[in-house]
Amino acid sequence: DHLLVDLLALDGSRLVVLASHNVEGPEGIWQQDVVDVSAYAGQTLILRLHAYNDNYYFSWFDIDNVCLRPAW
């Protein structure tokens, strides 16, 4: 099972994978992703959080505090 965080163009095409996580990572530990998306400044884009589950094991991903802010 995987979680992908993608940045998409308005037509739905993937521009970049910002983060990728799987259930084999550390359990019960929050992980933080900080990604520089300044190359896409001024564009209207889609942030997609996409979880894949193979239905073999029950698994989940908790997501908290998604934010976009300027780099100082």
Side-chain angles (χ1 to χ4, degrees):
D1 300 342
H2 290 77
L3 172 71
L4 291 177
V5 181
D6 299 323
L7 198 56
L8 308 177
L10 291 179
D11 66 3
S13 61
R14 180 187 292 158
L15 299 173
V16 64
V17 175
L18 300 175
S20 176
H21 298 280
N22 64 53
V23 295
E24 295 172 6
E27 186 174 335
I29 297 173
W30 284 98
Q31 297 180 16
Q32 180 179 15
D33 294 311
V34 177
V35 182
D36 180 7
V37 292
S38 61
Y40 303 99
Q43 301 180 46
T44 302
L45 302 172
I46 300 166
L47 180 67
R48 177 176 68 174
L49 302 134
H50 192 130
Y52 299 96
N53 185 300
D54 62 10
N55 293 322
Y56 189 70
Y57 292 109
F58 180 73
S59 60
W60 65 90
F61 297 93
D62 294 318
I63 299 168
D64 190 24
N65 293 335
V66 176
C67 66
L68 180 64
R69 61 186 171 131
W72 301 104

